[in-house]
Amino acid sequence: MVCDTLGTVGKDSTTWQLRARRLTGSRASFPFVPREDFDWPTACLEMEQLISCWTGEEQHIARGSQVDEERGEGQARPQAGGPAAEGQDGGGQGEVEGVGVAAQEVAYGANEGLEVEIEGEDGEMQPILGVQEARLREELGGGLDNGAAALMEQERMAFHAYMEQVVAPDKQENPVDRGNKIGFSPSPALEYTNFAIDHIGQVNSVLLLGGKGAVCATASRDGNVKLWDLQATSDRTLIYTLGRKGDFSTHKGWVWCLASEGPLLASGGFDNTVSLWDLQAGGAERGLIKTGAAVICLSCQPDVLLAGTFDKMVSLYDPRAAEPLIKSLRLHKGAVMCLAADDKYIISGSKDSTVAIYDRRAGKTLEKCRLRSYLVSMSYNGCEVWAGDQTGMLHCLAVQTGTLKLLSQFDVGHTALITGIHSSLGTLYTCSSDRTVKVHIPSAPPRTLCTLHHQTGVHGLSVEAGVLAVASWESSLAIWRPRTLS
């Protein structure tokens, strides 16, 4: 009878909703896009693991930094933001006293005058206003209960706006600093490693493979894609560098993006090609697709490969066919900067500051939104899209019954373009060229758990099985992995 009762409680979504509310706080909205089929147990477990790992990591980094300062050592490792960092480096804005990120959103004008345009039937872009401003102001009008106040206090400990100019792409790092970073000691909850990855150019993309975070692919401006064994007992081991027989590099230009589906790995470059590689066959070449323009973003689905290119096109390919091109779509008037897809829709963001949704089954564009800034990165999970723009703002969009609606935008502390983003039911990671990586709970507003600072800009991240891989401009790879208890 006890087991049956506990089983019934575990199947009751109300129990999990109350559990999630304790994790996000009573003032936050979660999930951002309500839906009946939401997997509450998985979301709660992901949030609990995220809080357990990254809250402890922030405290550990703060202690390690204090020890380094006492010893007079240089500050050469990633660091978590804290209250001491507020208002430094160019007059960065501190957090409004007594409230959390929701108040910052209004105080800093994140939703003030938010203007979106929806394309009407006549093709004209019609402006509408943001729908979240009034609700956020109403929520902030009352006092915070004890549980929410405690959560907001944790937010304050994690908040650090790193107000410094974006590192120039050609800036070189002191080799001594890189060596110091490799010596970073792990926290109780996470294992951390940072190692040079033998690229002679900046790393543009990183991708964890295999489902367990055991293998990592890196793509660089030196034209190469390298695969790394992250489970090597001593130093991380280079498995191989991808390439065709007789070629000196993987691509004949910058490699800008990576995507995978099963054993297939796709790499897109500025040499106007997408290269296909078979990981089960030792990285053997599976094909070469000529796109006609530089490839900026990729998305691999079980039945199709999508590429967004500089010539304003979103192209669909069948990697198995002798003539792989299925169709090319002109959804924008500028370069396609990011895209995401599933078996129903293709969502793309462009340099022309528009976001489009395309119905794969009906074969037509359903809707197009115009923003005030263009999107650089995107993560699509069910009917929820999290996207980062070139100003450092985080946007949340809803995909429901073929419509694309911008719900709100948030200032989470990034001061330059958000170069990478990953979201799941209970996690949200962002990275930026402002040299920071942030870990959030994906609520509205996002609850920031930890901010990691790097010596140079961060160009990409990848998350798999709780493992976080971060690629920065100094050609090093940082890995955070949940510590296994022995």
Side-chain angles (χ1 to χ4, degrees):
M1 292 177 62
V2 171
C3 291
D4 289 341
T5 302
L6 292 175
T8 302
V9 172
K11 295 176 182 178
D12 184 5
S13 64
T14 304
T15 302
W16 292 101
Q17 290 180 42
L18 293 173
R19 188 169 175 177
R21 189 176 181 85
R22 288 195 295 268
L23 298 173
T24 61
S26 60
R27 295 289 176 181
S29 175
F30 181 84
F32 203 160
V33 181
R35 49 194 186 271
E36 294 181 358
D37 60 346
F38 187 72
D39 188 350
W40 287 98
T42 299
C44 287
L45 294 175
E46 287 185 356
M47 283 193 290
E48 288 176 350
Q49 182 182 21
L50 196 74
I51 292 171
S52 173
C53 289
W54 290 101
T55 301
E57 179 71 5
E58 176 189 353
Q59 296 168 352
H60 169 75
I61 294 174
R63 288 195 300 268
S65 298
Q66 183 178 1
V67 171
D68 284 351
E69 290 177 1
E70 292 175 353
R71 293 177 178 176
E73 297 178 359
Q75 200 168 353
R77 65 177 125 190
Q79 299 184 13
E86 295 178 4
Q88 296 178 359
D89 293 336
Q93 297 176 351
E95 185 168 320
V96 179
E97 184 64 28
V99 291
V101 178
Q104 295 177 46
E105 181 180 348
V106 175
Y108 295 165
N111 273 323
E112 293 281 358
L114 172 62
E115 182 178 335
V116 186
E117 295 179 348
I118 301 296
E119 188 173 42
E121 295 180 355
D122 57 357
E124 294 295 327
M125 305 303 288
Q126 303 171 354
I128 63 173
L129 296 179
V131 297
Q132 296 293 318
E133 179 176 358
R135 180 172 63 82
L136 287 172
R137 291 185 182 275
E138 181 179 353
E139 290 178 353
L140 291 170
L144 299 177
D145 58 22
N146 293 335
L151 290 172
M152 295 306 183
E153 178 62 25
Q154 294 182 17
E155 286 182 356
R156 278 195 293 275
M157 296 299 294
F159 178 75
H160 180 197
Y162 196 85
M163 300 293 294
E164 189 169 322
Q165 296 294 328
V166 179
V167 177
D170 58 349
K171 180 176 179 180
Q172 299 296 322
E173 181 191 359
N174 189 332
V176 176
D177 290 341
R178 183 180 300 174
N180 289 338
K181 283 198 291 187
I182 297 175
F184 179 63
S185 58
S187 73
L190 295 168
E191 296 177 356
Y192 172 87
T193 53
N194 190 330
F195 59 97
I197 49 179
D198 198 29
H199 283 290
I200 60 174
Q202 296 164 20
V203 177
N204 292 324
S205 183
V206 60
L207 183 64
L208 292 168
L209 303 168
K212 299 180 180 179
V215 177
C216 184
T218 55
S220 170
R221 296 186 185 187
D222 64 7
N224 284 315
V225 176
K226 297 176 181 287
L227 266 63
W228 305 88
D229 180 5
L230 301 184
Q231 293 186 327
T233 55
S234 57
D235 199 5
R236 298 307 182 243
T237 303
L238 174 64
I239 302 176
Y240 43 71
T241 300
L242 297 176
R244 302 171 189 81
K245 183 177 295 185
D247 288 348
F248 294 101
S249 59
T250 311
H251 283 257
K252 297 179 181 179
W254 291 0
V255 190
W256 198 256
C257 49
L258 298 168
S260 68
E261 177 65 33
L264 173 69
L265 174 64
S267 58
F270 278 24
D271 58 355
N272 305 344
T273 66
V274 176
S275 294
L276 306 176
W277 313 96
D278 189 343
L279 300 181
Q280 286 185 340
E285 180 189 3
R286 251 179 77 170
L288 178 68
I289 299 173
K290 296 182 179 180
T291 60
V295 182
I296 302 175
C297 49
L298 291 169
S299 177
C300 273
Q301 301 300 311
D303 62 332
V304 70
L305 169 67
L306 299 102
T309 50
F310 185 77
D311 62 353
K312 314 169 188 177
M313 306 297 290
V314 175
S315 298
L316 288 73
Y317 299 98
D318 182 353
R320 301 161 296 182
E323 296 294 333
L325 179 63
I326 300 173
K327 66 172 64 173
S328 293
L329 309 170
R330 186 177 290 273
L331 306 178
H332 305 278
K333 297 180 180 179
V336 180
M337 304 301 293
C338 55
L339 60 83
D342 59 12
D343 60 340
K344 296 180 180 179
Y345 305 115
I346 300 171
I347 305 165
S348 56
S350 168
K351 190 71 177 290
D352 65 3
S353 300
T354 62
V355 187
I357 179 170
Y358 179 86
D359 190 324
R360 292 183 57 189
R361 298 174 181 177
K364 64 178 181 179
T365 304
L366 298 179
E367 203 161 18
K368 188 183 292 186
C369 299
R370 183 178 297 280
L371 310 178
R372 286 189 170 181
S373 54
Y374 67 86
L375 300 181
V376 182
S377 54
M378 180 183 295
S379 180
Y380 176 37
N381 182 41
C383 60
E384 199 170 81
V385 178
W386 289 92
D389 69 20
Q390 96 273 18
T391 68
M393 297 297 292
L394 190 62
H395 302 254
C396 188
L397 302 96
V399 179
Q400 292 178 321
T401 62
T403 62
L404 182 66
K405 181 183 294 183
L406 176 65
L407 298 183
S408 192
Q409 61 181 9
F410 302 102
D411 182 356
V412 293
H414 286 303
T415 59
L417 57 89
I418 298 178
T419 53
I421 188 167
H422 171 87
S423 67
S424 66
L425 294 178
T427 68
L428 178 63
Y429 299 81
T430 58
C431 66
S432 171
S433 58
D434 67 0
R435 312 178 187 181
T436 64
V437 177
K438 292 178 180 285
V439 183
H440 321 266
I441 296 293
S443 56
R447 174 189 164 194
T448 304
L449 299 176
C450 185
T451 300
L452 304 171
H453 291 272
H454 291 254
Q455 292 293 307
T456 59
V458 181
H459 206 287
L461 60 78
S462 180
V463 180
E464 187 177 72
V467 180
L468 169 64
V470 174
S472 54
W473 286 345
E474 74 271 18
S475 299
S476 68
L477 186 63
I479 304 293
W480 283 265
R481 180 186 302 275
R483 185 178 295 277
T484 57
L485 300 177
S486 55

